[in-house]
Amino acid sequence: MRLRLICTAFTISLLPVAANAQITIDMGAIRCDQYLAMSPAQSRDFSAWMSGWFSYQTRRTVLDLTAHQNNIANLKSWCQYRPQASVMTALQSVIPQ
């Protein structure tokens, strides 16, 4: 009975490790056409992540939601005319430094 309890506790302790799978995405390799083809939920999440990353790179510590929405609109507009360009290139072209 004690061995069974120990085995059960050990098995339960492994479950959170198995549930937290890691995915690696090369954000620099994502092109504008891929960004524009994302679902609204994916686009929202991707835009938020990229905004945070870009703010970190440019040492910005303020979040302006209006500017964020404008940046997304400008990025999508820029990408429509340059579908093979990388999103990183688009960000550098669209977001004011």
Coordinates of all heavy atoms in Angstrom, one line a residue:
M1 N 0.8 -1.2 0.0 CA 0.0 0.0 0.0 C 0.9 1.3 0.0 O 0.6 2.2 -0.7 CB -0.9 0.0 1.2 CG -1.8 1.1 1.3 SD -3.0 1.1 0.0 CE -4.1 2.4 0.5
R2 N 1.9 1.3 0.8 CA 2.8 2.4 0.9 C 3.5 2.6 -0.5 O 3.7 3.8 -0.9 CB 3.8 2.2 2.0 CG 4.6 3.5 2.2 CD 5.5 3.3 3.5 NE 6.2 4.6 3.6 CZ 7.1 4.8 4.5 NH1 7.4 3.8 5.4 NH2 7.7 5.9 4.6
L3 N 4.0 1.6 -1.1 CA 4.7 1.7 -2.4 C 3.7 2.2 -3.4 O 4.1 3.1 -4.2 CB 5.2 0.3 -2.8 CG 5.9 0.2 -4.1 CD1 7.1 1.1 -4.1 CD2 6.3 -1.2 -4.5
R4 N 2.5 1.8 -3.4 CA 1.5 2.3 -4.3 C 1.3 3.8 -4.2 O 1.2 4.6 -5.1 CB 0.2 1.5 -4.2 CG -0.8 1.9 -5.2 CD -2.0 1.0 -5.0 NE -2.9 1.1 -6.1 CZ -4.0 0.5 -6.3 NH1 -4.4 -0.4 -5.4 NH2 -4.8 0.7 -7.3
L5 N 1.2 4.3 -2.9 CA 1.1 5.7 -2.6 C 2.3 6.5 -3.1 O 2.1 7.6 -3.7 CB 0.9 5.9 -1.1 CG 0.6 7.3 -0.6 CD1 -0.7 7.8 -1.2 CD2 0.5 7.3 0.9
I6 N 3.4 6.0 -2.9 CA 4.7 6.6 -3.4 C 4.7 6.7 -4.9 O 5.0 7.8 -5.5 CB 5.9 5.9 -2.8 CG1 6.0 6.1 -1.3 CG2 7.2 6.5 -3.5 CD1 7.1 5.3 -0.7
C7 N 4.3 5.6 -5.6 CA 4.3 5.6 -7.0 C 3.2 6.6 -7.6 O 3.5 7.3 -8.6 CB 4.0 4.2 -7.6 SG 5.4 3.1 -7.3
T8 N 2.1 6.7 -6.9 CA 1.1 7.6 -7.4 C 1.5 9.1 -7.2 O 1.3 9.9 -8.1 CB -0.2 7.4 -6.5 OG1 -0.6 6.0 -6.7 CG2 -1.3 8.3 -7.0
A9 N 2.1 9.4 -6.0 CA 2.7 10.7 -5.8 C 3.7 11.1 -6.8 O 3.8 12.2 -7.3 CB 3.2 10.8 -4.4
F10 N 4.6 10.2 -7.1 CA 5.6 10.4 -8.1 C 5.0 10.7 -9.5 O 5.5 11.6 -10.2 CB 6.6 9.2 -8.2 CG 7.7 9.4 -9.2 CD1 8.7 10.3 -9.0 CD2 7.7 8.7 -10.4 CE1 9.7 10.4 -9.9 CE2 8.7 8.8 -11.3 CZ 9.7 9.7 -11.1
T11 N 4.1 9.9 -9.9 CA 3.4 10.0 -11.2 C 2.7 11.4 -11.3 O 2.8 12.1 -12.3 CB 2.4 8.9 -11.4 OG1 3.1 7.7 -11.3 CG2 1.7 9.1 -12.8
I12 N 2.0 11.8 -10.2 CA 1.3 13.1 -10.2 C 2.4 14.2 -10.3 O 2.1 15.2 -10.9 CB 0.5 13.2 -8.9 CG1 -0.7 12.3 -9.1 CG2 0.0 14.6 -8.7 CD1 -1.6 12.1 -7.9
S13 N 3.5 14.1 -9.6 CA 4.5 15.1 -9.7 C 5.1 15.3 -11.1 O 5.6 16.4 -11.4 CB 5.6 14.8 -8.7 OG 6.4 13.7 -9.1
L14 N 5.0 14.3 -11.9 CA 5.5 14.4 -13.3 C 4.6 15.1 -14.3 O 5.0 15.6 -15.3 CB 5.9 13.1 -13.9 CG 7.1 12.3 -13.2 CD1 7.3 11.0 -13.8 CD2 8.3 13.2 -13.3
L15 N 3.3 15.2 -13.9 CA 2.3 15.7 -14.8 C 2.5 17.2 -15.2 O 2.4 17.5 -16.4 CB 0.9 15.5 -14.2 CG 0.4 14.1 -14.2 CD1 -1.0 14.0 -13.6 CD2 0.3 13.5 -15.6
P16 N 2.8 18.0 -14.3 CA 3.0 19.4 -14.7 C 4.2 19.6 -15.6 O 4.2 20.5 -16.5 CB 3.3 20.2 -13.3 CG 2.7 19.3 -12.3 CD 2.8 17.9 -12.8
V17 N 5.2 18.8 -15.5 CA 6.4 18.8 -16.4 C 6.0 18.5 -17.8 O 6.4 19.1 -18.7 CB 7.5 17.9 -15.9 CG1 8.7 17.9 -16.9 CG2 8.0 18.4 -14.5
A18 N 5.2 17.5 -17.9 CA 4.8 17.0 -19.3 C 3.8 18.0 -19.9 O 3.8 18.2 -21.1 CB 4.1 15.7 -19.2
A19 N 3.0 18.8 -19.1 CA 2.0 19.7 -19.6 C 2.7 21.0 -20.1 O 2.0 21.7 -20.9 CB 1.0 20.0 -18.6
N20 N 3.9 21.3 -19.7 CA 4.5 22.6 -20.1 C 5.5 22.4 -21.2 O 6.7 22.6 -21.1 CB 5.2 23.2 -18.9 CG 4.2 23.6 -17.8 OD1 3.2 24.1 -18.1 ND2 4.6 23.5 -16.6
A21 N 5.0 22.0 -22.4 CA 5.8 21.8 -23.6 C 6.3 23.2 -24.1 O 5.6 24.2 -24.0 CB 5.1 21.1 -24.7
Q22 N 7.6 23.2 -24.5 CA 8.1 24.4 -25.0 C 8.1 24.4 -26.5 O 8.4 23.4 -27.1 CB 9.6 24.6 -24.5 CG 9.7 24.7 -23.0 CD 9.2 26.1 -22.6 OE1 9.4 27.1 -23.2 NE2 8.5 26.1 -21.4
I23 N 7.8 25.6 -27.1 CA 7.9 25.7 -28.6 C 8.8 26.9 -28.9 O 8.8 27.9 -28.3 CB 6.4 26.0 -29.1 CG1 5.5 24.9 -28.8 CG2 6.5 26.3 -30.6 CD1 4.1 25.2 -29.2
T24 N 9.7 26.6 -29.9 CA 10.6 27.7 -30.3 C 10.2 28.2 -31.6 O 10.0 27.4 -32.6 CB 12.0 27.1 -30.4 OG1 12.4 26.5 -29.1 CG2 13.0 28.1 -30.8
I25 N 10.1 29.5 -31.7 CA 9.7 30.2 -33.0 C 10.7 31.2 -33.3 O 11.0 32.1 -32.4 CB 8.3 30.8 -32.8 CG1 7.2 29.8 -32.5 CG2 7.9 31.6 -34.1 CD1 5.9 30.3 -32.2
D26 N 11.2 31.2 -34.5 CA 12.1 32.3 -34.9 C 11.3 33.5 -35.4 O 10.8 33.5 -36.5 CB 13.0 31.7 -36.1 CG 14.0 32.7 -36.5 OD1 14.1 33.8 -35.9 OD2 14.8 32.4 -37.5
M27 N 11.2 34.4 -34.5 CA 10.3 35.6 -34.8 C 10.9 36.4 -36.0 O 10.1 37.1 -36.7 CB 10.2 36.5 -33.5 CG 9.6 35.7 -32.4 SD 8.0 35.1 -32.7 CE 6.9 36.4 -32.2
G28 N 12.2 36.4 -36.2 CA 12.8 37.1 -37.3 C 12.5 36.5 -38.6 O 12.6 37.2 -39.7
A29 N 12.0 35.3 -38.6 CA 11.7 34.6 -39.9 C 10.3 34.7 -40.3 O 9.9 34.3 -41.4 CB 12.1 33.1 -39.8
I30 N 9.5 35.3 -39.5 CA 8.0 35.5 -39.9 C 7.9 36.6 -40.9 O 8.4 37.7 -40.7 CB 7.2 35.7 -38.6 CG1 7.3 34.5 -37.8 CG2 5.7 36.0 -39.0 CD1 6.5 34.5 -36.5
R31 N 7.2 36.3 -42.0 CA 7.1 37.3 -43.1 C 5.7 38.0 -42.9 O 4.8 37.5 -42.2 CB 7.1 36.6 -44.4 CG 8.5 36.0 -44.7 CD 8.5 35.3 -46.1 NE 7.3 34.7 -46.5 CZ 7.0 33.4 -46.4 NH1 7.9 32.6 -45.8 NH2 5.9 32.9 -46.8
C32 N 5.6 39.1 -43.6 CA 4.3 39.9 -43.6 C 3.1 39.0 -44.0 O 2.1 39.2 -43.5 CB 4.5 41.1 -44.4 SG 5.4 42.4 -43.7
D33 N 3.3 38.2 -45.1 CA 2.1 37.5 -45.6 C 1.7 36.5 -44.5 O 0.5 36.2 -44.4 CB 2.4 36.8 -46.9 CG 3.6 35.8 -46.9 OD1 4.4 35.9 -45.9 OD2 3.7 35.0 -47.8
Q34 N 2.6 35.9 -43.7 CA 2.2 35.0 -42.7 C 1.5 35.7 -41.5 O 0.6 35.2 -41.0 CB 3.5 34.3 -42.1 CG 4.1 33.4 -43.1 CD 5.5 32.9 -42.6 OE1 6.3 33.7 -42.1 NE2 5.8 31.6 -42.8
Y35 N 2.0 36.9 -41.3 CA 1.4 37.8 -40.2 C -0.1 38.1 -40.6 O -1.0 38.0 -39.8 CB 2.2 39.0 -40.0 CG 1.6 40.0 -39.1 CD1 1.3 39.7 -37.7 CD2 1.3 41.3 -39.5 CE1 0.7 40.7 -36.9 CE2 0.7 42.2 -38.7 CZ 0.4 41.9 -37.4 OH -0.1 42.8 -36.5
L36 N -0.2 38.5 -41.9 CA -1.6 38.9 -42.3 C -2.5 37.7 -42.4 O -3.7 37.9 -42.3 CB -1.5 39.6 -43.7 CG -0.7 41.0 -43.7 CD1 -0.6 41.5 -45.1 CD2 -1.5 42.0 -42.8
A37 N -2.0 36.5 -42.5 CA -2.8 35.3 -42.6 C -3.2 34.8 -41.3 O -4.0 33.8 -41.2 CB -2.1 34.3 -43.4
M38 N -2.7 35.3 -40.2 CA -3.0 34.8 -38.9 C -4.5 35.1 -38.5 O -5.1 36.1 -39.0 CB -2.1 35.5 -37.8 CG -0.7 35.1 -37.9 SD 0.2 36.0 -36.6 CE 1.9 35.5 -37.0
S39 N -5.0 34.2 -37.7 CA -6.4 34.5 -37.2 C -6.4 35.7 -36.3 O -5.3 36.1 -35.8 CB -6.9 33.3 -36.4 OG -6.2 33.2 -35.1
P40 N -7.5 36.3 -36.0 CA -7.5 37.5 -35.2 C -6.9 37.3 -33.8 O -6.1 38.1 -33.3 CB -9.0 37.9 -35.0 CG -9.6 37.3 -36.3 CD -8.8 36.1 -36.6
A41 N -7.1 36.1 -33.2 CA -6.5 35.8 -31.9 C -5.0 35.7 -32.0 O -4.3 36.2 -31.1 CB -7.2 34.6 -31.3
Q42 N -4.6 35.0 -33.0 CA -3.1 34.8 -33.2 C -2.5 36.2 -33.5 O -1.4 36.5 -33.0 CB -2.8 33.8 -34.3 CG -3.1 32.4 -34.0 CD -2.9 31.5 -35.3 OE1 -3.2 31.9 -36.4 NE2 -2.4 30.3 -35.0
S43 N -3.1 37.0 -34.3 CA -2.6 38.3 -34.7 C -2.5 39.2 -33.4 O -1.5 39.9 -33.2 CB -3.5 38.9 -35.7 OG -3.0 40.2 -36.0
R44 N -3.5 39.1 -32.6 CA -3.5 39.9 -31.4 C -2.4 39.5 -30.4 O -1.6 40.4 -30.0 CB -4.8 39.8 -30.6 CG -5.0 40.6 -29.4 CD -6.1 40.2 -28.5 NE -5.9 38.8 -28.0 CZ -6.8 37.8 -28.2 NH1 -7.9 38.0 -28.9 NH2 -6.5 36.6 -27.7
D45 N -2.2 38.2 -30.2 CA -1.1 37.7 -29.4 C 0.2 38.0 -29.9 O 1.2 38.4 -29.2 CB -1.3 36.2 -29.1 CG -2.5 35.9 -28.3 OD1 -3.1 36.8 -27.7 OD2 -2.9 34.7 -28.3
F46 N 0.4 37.8 -31.2 CA 1.7 38.0 -31.9 C 2.0 39.5 -31.8 O 3.2 39.9 -31.5 CB 1.6 37.6 -33.4 CG 2.9 37.8 -34.1 CD1 3.9 36.9 -34.0 CD2 3.0 38.9 -34.9 CE1 5.1 37.1 -34.7 CE2 4.2 39.1 -35.7 CZ 5.3 38.2 -35.5
S47 N 1.0 40.4 -32.1 CA 1.3 41.8 -32.0 C 1.7 42.3 -30.6 O 2.5 43.1 -30.5 CB 0.0 42.6 -32.5 OG -0.3 42.3 -33.8
A48 N 1.0 41.7 -29.6 CA 1.3 42.1 -28.2 C 2.7 41.6 -27.9 O 3.5 42.4 -27.3 CB 0.3 41.5 -27.3
W49 N 3.1 40.4 -28.3 CA 4.5 39.9 -28.0 C 5.5 40.8 -28.7 O 6.5 41.2 -28.1 CB 4.6 38.5 -28.4 CG 5.9 37.9 -27.9 CD1 6.0 37.2 -26.8 CD2 7.2 37.9 -28.5 NE1 7.3 36.8 -26.6 CE2 8.0 37.3 -27.7 CE3 7.6 38.5 -29.7 CZ2 9.4 37.1 -28.0 CZ3 9.0 38.4 -30.0 CH2 9.8 37.7 -29.1
M50 N 5.3 41.1 -30.0 CA 6.2 41.9 -30.8 C 6.3 43.3 -30.2 O 7.4 43.8 -30.2 CB 5.8 41.9 -32.3 CG 6.0 40.6 -33.0 SD 7.7 39.9 -32.9 CE 8.5 41.1 -33.9
S51 N 5.2 43.8 -29.8 CA 5.3 45.2 -29.2 C 6.1 45.2 -27.9 O 6.9 46.1 -27.7 CB 3.8 45.6 -28.9 OG 3.8 46.9 -28.2
G52 N 5.9 44.2 -27.1 CA 6.7 44.1 -25.9 C 8.2 43.9 -26.2 O 9.1 44.5 -25.6
W53 N 8.5 43.0 -27.2 CA 9.9 42.8 -27.5 C 10.5 44.1 -28.1 O 11.6 44.4 -27.7 CB 10.0 41.7 -28.6 CG 11.4 41.4 -29.0 CD1 12.3 40.6 -28.4 CD2 12.1 41.9 -30.1 NE1 13.5 40.6 -29.1 CE2 13.4 41.4 -30.1 CE3 11.7 42.8 -31.1 CZ2 14.3 41.8 -31.1 CZ3 12.6 43.2 -32.1 CH2 13.9 42.6 -32.1
F54 N 9.8 44.7 -29.0 CA 10.3 45.9 -29.6 C 10.5 47.0 -28.6 O 11.5 47.8 -28.6 CB 9.4 46.4 -30.8 CG 10.1 47.3 -31.7 CD1 10.9 46.8 -32.7 CD2 9.8 48.7 -31.7 CE1 11.5 47.7 -33.6 CE2 10.5 49.6 -32.6 CZ 11.3 49.0 -33.5
S55 N 9.6 47.2 -27.6 CA 9.7 48.1 -26.6 C 11.0 47.9 -25.7 O 11.7 48.8 -25.3 CB 8.5 48.2 -25.7 OG 7.4 48.6 -26.4
Y56 N 11.2 46.6 -25.5 CA 12.4 46.2 -24.7 C 13.7 46.6 -25.5 O 14.6 47.2 -24.9 CB 12.4 44.7 -24.4 CG 13.7 44.2 -23.8 CD1 14.0 44.5 -22.5 CD2 14.6 43.6 -24.6 CE1 15.2 44.1 -22.0 CE2 15.9 43.2 -24.1 CZ 16.1 43.4 -22.8 OH 17.3 43.0 -22.2
Q57 N 13.7 46.3 -26.8 CA 14.9 46.6 -27.6 C 15.1 48.1 -27.7 O 16.3 48.5 -27.7 CB 14.7 46.1 -29.0 CG 14.7 44.6 -29.1 CD 15.9 43.9 -28.6 OE1 17.0 44.4 -28.9 NE2 15.8 42.9 -27.8
T58 N 14.1 48.9 -27.6 CA 14.2 50.4 -27.7 C 14.2 51.1 -26.4 O 14.1 52.3 -26.3 CB 13.2 51.0 -28.7 OG1 11.9 50.6 -28.2 CG2 13.4 50.5 -30.1
R59 N 14.2 50.3 -25.3 CA 14.2 50.7 -23.9 C 13.0 51.6 -23.6 O 13.1 52.6 -22.8 CB 15.5 51.5 -23.6 CG 16.8 50.7 -23.9 CD 16.9 49.6 -23.0 NE 18.2 49.0 -23.1 CZ 18.5 47.8 -23.7 NH1 17.5 47.1 -24.2 NH2 19.7 47.3 -23.7
R60 N 11.9 51.3 -24.1 CA 10.6 52.0 -23.8 C 10.0 51.3 -22.6 O 9.8 50.1 -22.6 CB 9.7 52.0 -25.0 CG 10.2 52.8 -26.1 CD 9.2 52.8 -27.2 NE 9.9 53.4 -28.4 CZ 9.2 53.8 -29.5 NH1 7.9 53.6 -29.6 NH2 9.9 54.3 -30.5
T61 N 9.6 52.1 -21.6 CA 8.9 51.5 -20.4 C 7.5 51.9 -20.3 O 6.9 51.6 -19.3 CB 9.7 51.9 -19.2 OG1 9.8 53.3 -19.1 CG2 11.1 51.3 -19.2
V62 N 7.0 52.7 -21.2 CA 5.6 53.2 -21.2 C 4.7 52.4 -22.2 O 5.1 52.2 -23.3 CB 5.6 54.7 -21.4 CG1 4.1 55.2 -21.4 CG2 6.4 55.4 -20.4
L63 N 3.5 52.1 -21.8 CA 2.6 51.4 -22.7 C 1.5 52.4 -23.1 O 0.8 52.9 -22.2 CB 2.0 50.2 -22.0 CG 0.9 49.4 -22.8 CD1 1.5 48.9 -24.1 CD2 0.3 48.3 -22.0
D64 N 1.4 52.7 -24.3 CA 0.4 53.6 -24.9 C -0.5 52.8 -25.8 O -0.1 52.4 -26.9 CB 1.1 54.7 -25.6 CG 0.1 55.8 -26.2 OD1 -1.1 55.5 -26.2 OD2 0.5 56.8 -26.6
L65 N -1.7 52.5 -25.3 CA -2.6 51.6 -26.1 C -3.0 52.2 -27.4 O -3.2 51.4 -28.4 CB -3.8 51.2 -25.2 CG -3.5 50.3 -24.0 CD1 -4.7 50.1 -23.1 CD2 -2.8 49.0 -24.4
T66 N -3.2 53.5 -27.4 CA -3.6 54.1 -28.7 C -2.5 54.0 -29.7 O -2.7 53.7 -30.9 CB -4.0 55.6 -28.4 OG1 -5.0 55.7 -27.5 CG2 -4.4 56.3 -29.7
A67 N -1.2 54.3 -29.3 CA -0.1 54.1 -30.2 C 0.1 52.7 -30.6 O 0.4 52.4 -31.7 CB 1.2 54.6 -29.5
H68 N -0.2 51.7 -29.7 CA -0.1 50.3 -30.0 C -1.1 49.9 -31.1 O -0.7 49.3 -32.1 CB -0.4 49.5 -28.8 CG -0.4 48.0 -29.0 ND1 0.7 47.3 -29.3 CD2 -1.4 47.1 -29.0 CE1 0.4 46.0 -29.5 NE2 -0.9 45.9 -29.3
Q69 N -2.3 50.4 -31.0 CA -3.3 50.1 -32.1 C -2.9 50.8 -33.4 O -3.1 50.2 -34.5 CB -4.7 50.6 -31.6 CG -5.3 49.8 -30.5 CD -5.4 48.4 -30.8 OE1 -5.8 48.0 -31.9 NE2 -5.1 47.5 -29.8
N70 N -2.4 52.0 -33.3 CA -1.9 52.7 -34.5 C -0.8 52.0 -35.2 O -0.7 51.8 -36.4 CB -1.5 54.1 -34.2 CG -2.7 55.0 -33.9 OD1 -3.8 54.7 -34.3 ND2 -2.5 56.1 -33.2
N71 N 0.1 51.5 -34.3 CA 1.3 50.7 -34.9 C 0.9 49.4 -35.6 O 1.4 49.1 -36.6 CB 2.3 50.4 -33.7 CG 3.0 51.6 -33.2 OD1 3.1 52.6 -33.9 ND2 3.5 51.5 -32.0
I72 N -0.1 48.8 -35.0 CA -0.7 47.5 -35.6 C -1.3 47.9 -37.0 O -1.0 47.2 -38.0 CB -1.7 46.8 -34.7 CG1 -1.0 46.2 -33.5 CG2 -2.4 45.7 -35.5 CD1 -1.9 45.7 -32.4
A73 N -2.1 48.9 -37.0 CA -2.7 49.3 -38.3 C -1.6 49.7 -39.3 O -1.7 49.3 -40.5 CB -3.7 50.5 -38.1
N74 N -0.6 50.4 -38.9 CA 0.4 50.8 -39.8 C 1.2 49.6 -40.3 O 1.6 49.5 -41.5 CB 1.4 51.9 -39.2 CG 0.7 53.2 -38.9 OD1 -0.3 53.5 -39.6 ND2 1.2 53.9 -38.0
L75 N 1.5 48.7 -39.4 CA 2.2 47.5 -39.7 C 1.5 46.7 -40.8 O 2.0 46.2 -41.8 CB 2.5 46.7 -38.5 CG 3.2 45.3 -38.7 CD1 4.7 45.6 -39.2 CD2 3.3 44.5 -37.4
K76 N 0.2 46.5 -40.5 CA -0.6 45.7 -41.5 C -0.7 46.4 -42.9 O -0.6 45.7 -43.9 CB -2.0 45.5 -40.9 CG -2.0 44.5 -39.8 CD -3.4 44.2 -39.3 CE -3.3 43.1 -38.2 NZ -4.6 42.7 -37.7
S77 N -0.8 47.7 -42.9 CA -0.8 48.4 -44.1 C 0.5 48.3 -44.9 O 0.5 48.1 -46.1 CB -1.1 49.9 -43.8 OG -1.1 50.7 -45.0
W78 N 1.6 48.4 -44.1 CA 2.9 48.3 -44.7 C 3.1 46.9 -45.3 O 3.6 46.7 -46.4 CB 4.0 48.6 -43.7 CG 5.4 48.8 -44.2 CD1 6.0 50.0 -44.5 CD2 6.4 47.8 -44.4 NE1 7.2 49.8 -44.9 CE2 7.5 48.4 -44.8 CE3 6.4 46.4 -44.2 CZ2 8.7 47.7 -45.1 CZ3 7.5 45.7 -44.5 CH2 8.7 46.4 -45.0
C79 N 2.6 45.9 -44.5 CA 2.8 44.5 -45.0 C 2.0 44.1 -46.2 O 2.4 43.3 -47.0 CB 2.4 43.6 -43.8 SG 3.8 43.4 -42.6
Q80 N 0.9 44.8 -46.4 CA 0.1 44.5 -47.6 C 0.8 44.8 -48.9 O 0.6 44.1 -49.9 CB -1.3 45.3 -47.5 CG -2.2 44.7 -46.5 CD -3.5 45.5 -46.4 OE1 -3.6 46.7 -46.8 NE2 -4.5 44.9 -45.8
Y81 N 1.7 45.7 -48.8 CA 2.4 46.1 -50.1 C 3.8 45.4 -50.2 O 4.4 45.4 -51.2 CB 2.6 47.6 -50.1 CG 1.3 48.4 -50.3 CD1 0.8 49.0 -49.2 CD2 0.7 48.4 -51.5 CE1 -0.5 49.7 -49.3 CE2 -0.5 49.1 -51.6 CZ -1.1 49.7 -50.5 OH -2.3 50.3 -50.7
R82 N 4.2 44.7 -49.1 CA 5.5 44.0 -49.1 C 5.3 42.7 -48.4 O 5.8 42.4 -47.3 CB 6.5 44.8 -48.3 CG 6.8 46.2 -48.9 CD 7.4 47.1 -47.9 NE 7.5 48.5 -48.4 CZ 6.6 49.4 -48.2 NH1 5.5 49.1 -47.6 NH2 6.8 50.6 -48.7
P83 N 4.5 41.7 -49.0 CA 4.2 40.5 -48.3 C 5.4 39.6 -48.0 O 5.4 38.8 -47.1 CB 3.2 39.8 -49.3 CG 3.4 40.5 -50.6 CD 3.9 41.8 -50.3
Q84 N 6.5 39.7 -48.8 CA 7.6 38.8 -48.6 C 8.7 39.4 -47.6 O 9.6 38.7 -47.2 CB 8.3 38.5 -49.9 CG 7.5 37.7 -50.8 CD 6.9 36.4 -50.2 OE1 7.7 35.7 -49.7 NE2 5.7 36.2 -50.3
A85 N 8.4 40.6 -47.1 CA 9.3 41.2 -46.2 C 9.1 40.6 -44.8 O 8.0 40.1 -44.5 CB 9.1 42.7 -46.1
S86 N 10.2 40.7 -44.0 CA 10.0 40.1 -42.6 C 9.3 41.2 -41.7 O 9.3 42.4 -42.0 CB 11.4 39.9 -42.0 OG 12.0 41.0 -41.6
V87 N 8.6 40.7 -40.7 CA 7.9 41.5 -39.8 C 8.8 42.4 -39.1 O 8.5 43.6 -38.8 CB 7.0 40.7 -38.9 CG1 6.3 41.6 -37.8 CG2 5.9 40.0 -39.6
M88 N 10.0 41.9 -38.8 CA 11.0 42.7 -38.1 C 11.4 44.0 -38.9 O 11.5 45.1 -38.4 CB 12.3 41.9 -37.8 CG 12.1 40.8 -36.8 SD 11.8 41.6 -35.2 CE 11.9 40.1 -34.2
T89 N 11.6 43.8 -40.2 CA 11.9 44.9 -41.1 C 10.7 45.9 -41.1 O 10.9 47.1 -41.1 CB 12.1 44.4 -42.5 OG1 13.2 43.5 -42.5 CG2 12.4 45.5 -43.5
A90 N 9.5 45.4 -41.1 CA 8.3 46.2 -41.1 C 8.3 47.0 -39.8 O 8.0 48.2 -39.8 CB 7.1 45.4 -41.3
L91 N 8.5 46.4 -38.7 CA 8.5 47.1 -37.4 C 9.5 48.2 -37.4 O 9.2 49.3 -36.9 CB 8.8 46.1 -36.3 CG 7.7 45.2 -35.9 CD1 8.3 44.1 -34.9 CD2 6.6 45.9 -35.2
Q92 N 10.7 48.0 -37.9 CA 11.7 49.0 -37.9 C 11.3 50.2 -38.8 O 11.7 51.3 -38.6 CB 13.1 48.5 -38.3 CG 13.6 47.5 -37.3 CD 14.8 46.7 -37.7 OE1 15.2 46.8 -38.9 NE2 15.4 46.1 -36.8
S93 N 10.5 49.9 -39.9 CA 10.1 50.9 -40.8 C 8.9 51.7 -40.3 O 8.8 52.9 -40.6 CB 9.8 50.3 -42.2 OG 10.9 49.6 -42.7
V94 N 8.0 51.1 -39.6 CA 6.7 51.6 -39.2 C 6.7 52.3 -37.9 O 6.2 53.4 -37.7 CB 5.7 50.5 -39.3 CG1 4.4 51.0 -38.7 CG2 5.5 50.1 -40.7
I95 N 7.4 51.7 -36.9 CA 7.3 52.3 -35.5 C 8.3 53.4 -35.4 O 9.5 53.2 -35.6 CB 7.5 51.2 -34.5 CG1 6.4 50.1 -34.6 CG2 7.6 51.7 -33.1 CD1 6.5 49.0 -33.6
P96 N 7.8 54.5 -34.9 CA 8.7 55.7 -34.7 C 9.8 55.4 -33.6 O 9.5 54.8 -32.6 CB 7.8 56.8 -34.3 CG 6.5 56.2 -34.0 CD 6.5 54.9 -34.5
Q97 N 11.0 55.8 -33.9 CA 12.1 55.5 -32.9 C 12.0 56.6 -31.9 O 12.4 57.3 -31.4 CB 13.4 55.5 -33.6 CG 13.5 54.4 -34.7 CD 13.5 53.0 -34.1 OE1 14.0 52.7 -33.0 NE2 12.8 52.1 -34.8

